[in-house]
Every structure is written in C-alpha cells, then in structure tokens.
Amino acid sequence: MTTTFEDAVLDTLFPGLGAIPPASRAGLDVASVLARHGGVLDAIAATAGGREAFAAADPARRAHLLAETERGTPAPVQALVLAVSALYHASAPVVEAYGWPSRPPQPQGFAVGAPGDEAEADGMLERVRARRQIWRG
Amino acid sequence: MSVKRLEPVDVVVVGAGLGAAAFTRHLVEEAPSLSVVVLERGGWVDRAALPAFRADFQRDVLGPYATSPNVRLAAGGIAPSADYAVDDSQSDFKPLMWSGVGGSTINWAAHFPRFHPSDFRTRSLDGVGDDWPFTYRDLEPFYDLNDARFGIAGLPGDPAYPPKPARPMPPIALGRLGMTAARGFDRLGWHWWPVDSAINSRAHAGRPGCNHCGPCQQGCVTGAKASTDMTHWPEAIARGVEMRTGAVVLQVEIEAGRVTGVTYRTAEGDLFQPAATVVVAGNGIGTARLLLASGVSSPALGCNLMYHGAGYVRGFFAEDLDGPVGPTGCAIYSHEFYETDRSRGFVRGVHLQATRENPLAVQAARLPRPWGEEAHAALLREFRHSMAILVVNEDLPEHENHVGLTGETAPDGLPGVKVVYRLSDHSRRALDFGLDRAEEMLRAAGAVETVRVPLAPFTGWHLLGTARMGTDPLTSVTDGSGRVHGVSGLLVADGSLFTTSAAVNPGSTIGALATKVADDFARLVA
Ligand SMILES: Cc1cc2nc3c(=O)[nH]c(=O)nc-3n(C[C@H](O)[C@H](O)[C@H](O)COP(=O)(O)OP(=O)(O)OC[C@H]3O[C@@H](n4cnc5c(N)ncnc54)[C@H](O)[C@@H]3O)c2cc1C
Ligand code: SF4
C-alpha cells in the first residue's frame, strides 16, 4: 500500500496521458524502491513544506517542486526516477498503452520483413554493386 | 593458503571467450595429441533462465543483465557471468563484457564485419598508428575458417571488401527500419550493404533461425545467435579439451624467463596447474590485468587501450519502423566514408550502422528528461518511430589510454583493475564528421527530426590493444604469432593483441587472429 504522498510523487513522475495510466494506477510493486529512496522522498517533502502540502498541490506545482528538488540534489532524484521508470515502463498496462504486446519476447518472437522488401533491396543494391571496388589495397 | 599441485599438461588456456575458443578449436584439429586445459572464471549459460522468457525482461536489461559488469554487480550480479568490477571513473567509455563460457559473445550483438585490407597498414598508407605484422591476405584463410565455424548470414558482392566466401545463409531480414535506412543511403548515392552477422537467418548447424525476439545483448535463448559456448567449445571438448569453470587464474608463473604454469582459485581452494605453454585470452582488460599481476614487464603492456570512438544520431520518423524487434546491431551499414580522404581534415574513416530500437523501458531511461508529461510526449513520438545511426571511428593507439592496477586486492583475489581513457582530438574530428553524415542520411531517409548524441559512454564493447603485436619489444608486447616478447611459452590470443583497431567491430578479426595464433603455434610444436 502506498500513501497519498507517495502516490502524488509517483504520479508527478509519470502522470497518466490518454490511455496511459498514471504510475499510482499501473499496478507497480514499488514498496522496495520507495524504501530504498526514502531520503529523496524526504527531500521532496522538505521542498514542499511537508508531505501533506506536496500531496495537496496541483500537478503543475508538484512538477515544479520536484524539479526544484532535482536541481538541489540531482543524482538521488535521478536515481529514483530511473528506478520507478524501469518498473513503470515494464508494466503490462503501460507497455500495452504504448501499443506493444506485454508478453515476453520468447517463445513467439516477432515477424520482420514485408513481401516486397527483397526485390526493392536488390534493385537498390544493384547500384551499389556497380561501383565494383571502394576498398583500398 | 596451501596450493595443491596438479598433473602437468601441455597447454593451459586462460578464459573461454571468443579468442580462447577460436584458438583452442583450431589447435585441437592441428595438434590433436596435445593435452589442453581451459580455465574460465565464470560458468555455462542456462538458456532457459535468460530474460527473454520473462514478461518483465526489460527490468533485467537495465539491471542484472545489463551489458556493463559494473551495473550487473550493482544489481546483485548473476551466476554464470563471474563479473569483476572495473574502475571506469577515468574513462570516457564504460567497458562492457561477459565473464563466463563464451565470453562476451554471450551478450554481443553478433555483427560480424571484417577489417579492410588498409586497416592492417595504417602507418604505411596514412602515417598513423602502426602496421600489423601481417596483411589482410595473410589473415584471409583464417577469416574464412573462422567464418565457417561461426556460421555467417550475409550477401556476397559487397564492393567495400575483397570477395568473401559464399555465406551459408541470406542476411537477417532488414524490416521496415533497415529498408528505410537503405532508401536514405540510396537517395544520396552512398554505399550501403546488409551486414554480415553471426546469427542464423534460418536453421543452420543444428541451431534454429532467429525469430527476431530482440534482446540479443541479454543472451540469445533460442541459440540462433552464435556464441562460442555453442559454436566452438562443444567440438573442442569432444576432441579432448578439458574445460574447468569457476576457475579464476591469479598468476601466470614464470621462472627464468619461461612459464611453468598458472595458479588459480576455485571454490575449493587454490591450485597450481603446471603447463609447458600458457595462452592468455581474458580480453583487453582481463589479459592486461593478469599479465600485470604476474609481473610481466613490457613497456607496452596495458597501454594503447582502444575501444572505438562511438556516438550516434537518432532520427524520428512519422511512419512505424517495427519497434524493438530483430537483432539490434544487424541490419545494414555503410562504408562510404571508411577509407582515408585527407580533404575531410582527418585520416582513416568512419563506419555508419543502422541500429534497431530498444524495449520501451530502455528507450524511456535514455530520454533527456525522463519524467513528467514531457517524457510521455517524447516517448510517444519516438517509440516505434525512431532509428539510431551509430557512428564508429578508428580509435588510434595512444600510450596514455591504458588498463592499470588499482593497488588494492579485489574480491576475486586479483589486483583491482582500472581503465584510463580520453577520446582523442583525432577521434572527435572523425566522429563529428560521421555524425554530420548520419544526420544527412537520416534526413534523406525521411526523418522529421534528428538528435545528436556526440559521445555514447555505454559503448565500451571493444577492448583492444593492451598486449599489442609488433616487432619491437619496446612498443609491443607480443610478436605476430601472439608470443610474449622475452617470456618463453607465454602466448596471448584475444582482442588485446590488436595493433590498431580499424573502425569496425572486432569479433571476426579476433577469431581469425586467434586461429592464426593457434596455427603458428601448432606448426612450431609439430
Ligand atoms: C554488449 C556487447 C556487444 C557486442 N557486440 C559485438 C558485435 O556486434 N560484433 C563484434 O564483433 N563484437 C561485439 N562485441 C565485442 C566482442 O564480443 C568482443 O570483442 C569479444 O568477445 C572479445 O573476445 P576476447 O577473446 O578478447 O574476450 P572475451 O570474449 O571477453 O573473453 C574473455 C574471457 O576470459 C575470461 N577471463 C578473464 N580473466 C580471467 C581470469 N583471470 N581467469 C579465468 N578466466 C578469465 C572471462 O571470464 C571471459 O570469459 C560486443 C561486446 C559486448 C559486451
Ligand atoms: S533476435 Fe534473434 S538472435 Fe537476437 S536473441 Fe532473439 S532469436 Fe536470438
């Protein structure tokens, strides 16, 4: 279970957009990530004047507060961003909202190539072949 | 700690990566009576356990199966790659590798270009670097042999190269991304060609064809991508080679200018393996580290580290380019600007390569501002609609760019290792020229926007030159047959031998070179 403040931070990092769910509703297992980056959460709260103040702010103000915290302590904020991003962009609802199947790459793999490709490529390669030699001996 | 002494053998090979495999596979054929033991610090890969079978595979790409050993270690490490930390804080590029049976061919992209003939004669032709102790023609039969052992997909007739033997398989399908790039090169009248790849485009040599799943650099679960644990080692082992895994070689023992064997560490304790010949193939970092730790004194040892300069331009297209499917590095390339043209303001050249997209989470992690509404907007614009043109230039040998020891003992028992590397002015000029050409090509291909990445730190794929070949013991570590100057019975057979780096991926040349080193050695002991 995440707190209102944590949800507000997550959704500031990755808000919803159209069919793309916000981070707090993407079914992420974020407990250990948030625990590991507790110091950053404290820093965000401090910038906002408290956890409640951050949670109560509108999205634009929250983004501003997060950016301000990032300016003050860039590396820890970026580490939190990347950790949440890895979970968020690998989650099934987000991957699917970006138009990609959430199944593993194997065992099905993917089909690549269209029927006319080979003939078109051959035609273009004829022009390259005609140059005979472009290497130096 | 007491060290148990084992029964002597003829040859000990350190490492089971690309060079070691090519060397050993050829040696068992040419000198079958020799007893050969291979000592590899890591283990065998269990393909069923690789990330591509898991829905959350993207998280592995960024953590435990990242291409950097330092990132893997930070994520807790993974068993089959016995990683060691490399202090890369003073290096513009971050070294990437795999430390287990197969070496870095487990996570390589399997793009398999040869060097050009001119790459072996940079001093004579262009007045930079040094000439190799032999020519393309001398190495050609070993290229051919090694190609056959890997199994290459490709197309004959490329005017950028002297003729090569027929390939047993057609190239990997270009897909929308490859076709779009090809049209761009074609519109400009520039050279392009489908890459030679060590990936089965259809079933070959008992392995299946590639099904374009995508994450080649986390290990190929189907076995379509050639790695030496499948292509070379099984045959070598069937012919009597003994492979010992989990064996970290701590020291090459040398007495009165001649090797006597190696001391290595296992979970059970330290062992001394006596041998008449020791062949080190731990890659450009692992080999230098071990030889420095063993007290080999050569002024060139560890120096002249070459990675290849690398940067790229990303192009965004209105049309769908397939997304993260197919082997990342295996589509098409251009050598329009590979050979020297002095009017460009630098000598030697650049390689341009169309690379396929990464999975969503990886693309997201690389956004300039990776959070907030802007991140969504940027990712929506690029995911399935982007292509990167990788620019690789010939990194010239520079004495100051080096592999050194840290002065502390690492957890594996060897001295800690660091890399010191700064991109040279030469490389900067060449890369900038290549980035301009990449931009031009992407526009011609229809890109609506391009973004330049002038230097890509996580491209330290190629670890070369730290035990370089040559004739002068003051400027080289080995002769042209991989024999270390001044130490009898000590050979090197990997990427650290490179005298210069060319501007293409080194795998094909490492394989050919290690095969030649084995051939020379077999003739000597016959
Ligand atoms: C992500 C990635 C992508 C790449 N893509 C391409 C590509 O598309 N095309 C290409 O040509 N090249 C590519 N490369 C580079 C290529 O894989 C390497 O150049 C090649 O594998 C190096 O061969 P090597 O024999 O020098 O060393 P490696 O293959 O790295 O093998 C070294 C082995 O030695 C072992 N070892 C080291 N020290 C010790 C010790 N003290 N005791 C015991 N064992 C030891 C290591 O565990 C390792 O298994 C890529 C590399 C990476 C990492
Ligand atoms: S894309 Fe092909 S070669 Fe790469 S991992 Fe998948 S099946 Fe193997």
Side-chain angles (χ1 to χ4, degrees):
Chain A
M1 266 305 265
T2 42
T3 65
T4 317
F5 166 70
E6 288 165 345
D7 282 351
V9 171
L10 291 172
D11 292 350
T12 309
L13 291 177
F14 300 107
L17 184 69
I20 307 170
S24 69
R25 279 193 252 128
L28 311 185
D29 188 2
V30 278
S32 65
V33 166
L34 295 179
R36 236 186 2 262
H37 297 271
V40 183
L41 298 183
D42 291 344
I44 296 167
T47 311
R51 294 184 171 226
E52 293 74 20
F54 184 85
D58 65 32
R61 170 92 189 126
R62 284 188 210 154
H64 173 79
L65 291 166
L66 198 58
E68 213 172 295
T69 315
E70 190 179 21
R71 264 193 300 281
T73 51
V77 172
Q78 282 152 20
L80 171 72
V81 171
L82 289 182
V84 177
S85 171
L87 290 177
Y88 179 70
H89 291 101
S91 73
V94 175
V95 170
E96 281 164 16
Y98 271 93
W100 201 249
S102 59
R103 66 167 171 84
Q106 291 285 3
Q108 287 110 304
F110 297 96
V112 168
D117 285 358
E118 221 168 294
E120 188 192 345
D122 268 353
M124 290 190 278
L125 284 171
E126 264 321 300
R127 291 190 275 284
V128 183
R129 262 194 204 95
R131 295 175 64 177
R132 303 171 77 95
Q133 176 176 337
I134 62 170
W135 54 276
R136 275 194 303 172
Chain B
M1 198 189 289
S2 75
V3 177
K4 187 175 158 198
R5 188 184 176 93
L6 303 171
E7 286 301 309
V9 296
D10 294 318
V11 180
V12 163
V13 178
V14 181
L18 201 168
F23 174 91
T24 311
R25 171 72 184 80
H26 194 63
L27 187 67
V28 292
E29 207 152 296
E30 297 303 308
S33 62
L34 294 178
S35 52
V36 183
V37 164
V38 180
L39 300 173
E40 166 53 53
R41 55 183 294 136
W44 292 87
V45 162
D46 171 7
R47 299 206 130 66
L50 290 171
F53 281 125
R54 295 194 284 277
D56 66 355
F57 78 101
Q58 297 192 69
R59 273 148 61 183
D60 290 328
V61 176
L62 292 163
Y65 280 84
T67 49
S68 151
N70 287 355
V71 175
R72 290 196 295 266
L73 285 169
I78 39 166
S81 185
D83 296 320
Y84 53 93
V86 179
D87 177 352
D88 56 16
S89 55
Q90 296 175 74
S91 177
D92 288 342
F93 296 106
K94 307 302 168 196
L96 312 176
M97 66 176 93
W98 182 278
S99 294
V101 179
S104 306
T105 64
I106 296 297
N107 60 349
W108 72 339
H111 172 43
F112 208 73
R114 291 184 179 191
F115 278 20
H116 284 213
S118 68
D119 292 329
F120 295 85
R121 303 200 299 128
T122 62
R123 172 60 58 181
S124 310
L125 290 172
D126 296 319
V128 293
D130 284 294
D131 289 356
W132 285 47
F134 44 81
T135 65
Y136 179 90
R137 287 289 171 217
D138 297 325
L139 200 59
E140 196 170 31
F142 301 105
Y143 269 129
D144 294 352
L145 256 178
N146 188 60
D147 283 3
R149 286 173 182 154
F150 268 100
I152 304 305
L155 189 70
D158 184 351
Y161 282 95
K164 291 177 267 188
R167 293 344 201 164
M169 293 166 278
I172 297 287
L174 302 187
R176 289 194 187 115
L177 181 142
M179 290 300 293
T180 304
R183 287 182 203 114
F185 286 118
D186 185 62
R187 277 176 203 134
L188 293 166
W190 292 355
H191 167 268
W192 71 274
W193 206 259
V195 302
D196 269 355
S197 52
I199 295 178
N200 285 356
S201 57
R202 57 180 181 222
H204 174 73
R207 295 182 288 114
C210 167
N211 67 4
H212 314 112
C213 75
C216 302
Q217 294 185 63
Q218 281 59 55
C220 174
V221 306
T222 65
K225 184 183 80 169
S227 48
T228 60
D229 60 327
M230 291 181 299
T231 52
H232 289 61
W233 289 119
E235 182 63 27
I237 290 166
R239 289 171 184 244
V241 169
E242 187 190 344
M243 170 79 73
R244 296 181 197 154
T245 55
V248 180
V249 178
L250 301 177
Q251 180 101 25
V252 178
E253 306 293 351
I254 302 168
E255 271 176 38
R258 130 130 260 123
V259 296
T260 57
V262 298
T263 301
Y264 69 100
R265 182 159 290 176
T266 67
E268 287 75 44
D270 289 0
L271 303 163
F272 173 60
Q273 176 61 67
T277 301
V278 173
V279 183
V280 183
N283 80 32
I285 291 178
T287 290
R289 181 189 191 201
L290 178 60
L291 295 184
L292 287 167
S294 304
V296 171
S297 59
S298 159
L301 180 59
C303 302
N304 303 298
L305 169 67
M306 297 172 287
Y307 288 112
H308 285 133
Y312 51 90
V313 181
R314 307 186 64 212
F316 304 120
F317 291 76
E319 58 269 30
D320 186 337
L321 296 183
D322 285 339
V325 302
T328 341
C330 293
I332 69 168
Y333 81 98
S334 170
H335 277 188
E336 184 66 27
F337 308 102
Y338 194 86
E339 300 285 0
T340 293
D341 174 346
R342 289 179 188 272
S343 69
R344 293 177 200 142
F346 63 93
V347 294
R348 314 300 303 151
V350 293
H351 163 93
L352 305 178
Q353 187 179 336
T355 62
R356 302 183 202 256
E357 250 185 27
N358 293 295
L360 186 70
V362 181
Q363 299 273 127
R366 293 181 184 169
L367 292 172
R369 183 173 165 92
W371 63 271
E373 273 177 13
E374 277 170 50
H376 278 314
L379 202 52
L380 280 168
R381 183 190 51 173
E382 74 172 58
F383 187 61
R384 303 178 69 158
H385 296 274
S386 74
M387 164 194 324
I389 298 296
L390 175 69
V391 180
V392 174
N393 87 291
E394 173 155 3
D395 194 3
L396 293 169
E398 314 257 347
H399 195 77
E400 311 71 51
N401 287 337
H402 70 272
V403 171
L405 304 180
T406 59
E408 280 152 32
T409 303
D412 61 4
L414 276 155
V417 65
K418 63 178 179 186
V419 282
V420 176
Y421 178 97
R422 291 289 168 245
L423 192 79
S424 66
D425 290 345
H426 157 85
S427 283
R428 188 65 273 160
R429 278 199 302 277
L431 283 180
D432 287 343
F433 169 86
L435 293 166
D436 287 346
R437 301 291 78 71
E439 232 159 54
E440 201 177 335
M441 177 305 228
L442 284 163
R443 295 282 179 192
V448 288
E449 193 189 332
T450 58
V451 172
R452 233 175 219 251
V453 180
L455 187 144
F458 281 89
T459 55
W461 306 296
H462 309 147
L463 311 169
L464 308 169
T466 53
R468 70 202 303 248
M469 294 176 294
T471 46
D472 181 354
L474 286 177
T475 56
S476 61
V477 179
T478 81
D479 67 9
S481 296
R483 290 176 301 199
V484 173
H485 299 305
V487 186
S488 174
L490 181 57
L491 272 70
V492 175
D494 64 10
S496 51
L497 286 174
F498 280 30
T499 308
T500 53
S501 68
V504 290
N505 313 52
S508 153
T509 304
I510 293 173
L513 177 55
T515 307
K516 179 186 177 303
V517 170
D519 205 73
D520 293 350
F521 174 67
R523 262 187 284 125
L524 208 71
V525 295

